[in-house]
Structure formats: C-alpha cells, structure tokens
Amino acid sequence: MKTNQRFIYIALVLFYVLLSISCSKRQADEIVPQTPVTPGVGTSTVTYTNFTEALIQTKCAGCHTAGRSAAAIWTFNGIASITSNEARIRRVVLETRSMPIGNSLTAAELTSLREWFDNNMPN
C-alpha cells in the first residue's frame, strides 16, 4: 500500500471507531433529585435545576439536539424547549412511555419527572 492509501485507510478506521463510540445508547445511572440542605427548611420539591436538567441531558439530549436524528421532532435547548413542549413530552415519556427509546427511565425517575410537571415545572 502506498503511504497516502495507508493514511486514508487509518483515518477512515479511526473515524468509524469514533463515530461508533459517540452514538452509543448507554444510559447514565439513575438520576435522583438533589435536595439542598437548608437548616430550618423542609425538603424542596423536584426542580429543573436539581433533577430535570440532568435527566434530559443524559436520557434525551443525545438524540434531541441540533444535528441529531430526533431534532426534527423536538430539540432540547434548555428549560424553555421543555415547557413549550410539555404536552408532547408528558405523553411520550409518562403516558405511552415510548421515550426514551428502550424505556430506560426507572420508576423513581418517572415519579420525579411527573412530580416536576405536576408542580408547574419549577426552575
């Protein structure tokens, strides 16, 4: 093989390996709301900051960001994109459980997400 052909072959193999790794469907550990500890104050509810943002980032944003296949349906770009698509997200995640693909949310994550929606999506 000529040097240029070898270089192109190695570059293509490397590209394929990197592409394969970046598109994996491995999910993060269960997301649990982090309740801030404030003396004299009761436990807080689930908020975007302490739960929902991390859940969406790890379970949804892999497919629902600009340039990805599911971005045509819904694109995650912060809390505004969630609140403006609340009905759609509720339906496919909490009711039909067709998202995320493979139904990878735990019962605790589903409960916390439902609580967040039911409490008017606190920030």
Side-chain angles (χ1 to χ4, degrees), residues 4-24:
N4 287 342
Q5 289 174 327
R6 191 176 320 173
F7 176 75
I8 291 171
Y9 176 75
I10 292 170
L12 287 174
V13 169
L14 235 167
F15 176 75
Y16 176 75
V17 168
L18 291 175
L19 184 64
S20 297
I21 292 170
S22 69
C23 294
S24 72

Side-chain angles (χ1 to χ4, degrees), residues 88-102:
R88 173 184 286 167
I89 296 168
R90 260 187 198 263
R91 185 178 68 252
V92 299
V93 176
L94 299 174
E95 295 170 16
T96 65
R97 294 189 182 175
S98 57
M99 285 286 136
I101 293 176

Side-chain angles (χ1 to χ4, degrees), residues 32-55:
V32 178
Q34 297 177 3
T35 306
V37 178
T38 308
V41 178
T43 59
S44 68
T45 62
V46 176
T47 66
Y48 178 75
T49 305
N50 75 6
F51 171 74
T52 309
E53 180 178 29
L55 180 78

Side-chain angles (χ1 to χ4, degrees), residues 1 11 47-48 58 65 74 76 100:
M1 251 192 229
T47 66
Y48 178 75
T58 59
T65 53
W74 172 72
F76 171 68

Side-chain angles (χ1 to χ4, degrees), residues 45-49 52 79 115-117 119-123:
T45 62
V46 176
T47 66
Y48 178 75
T49 305
T52 309
I79 191 169
E115 179 184 332
W116 183 69
F117 277 125
N119 287 323
N120 297 317
M121 300 172 282
N123 203 0

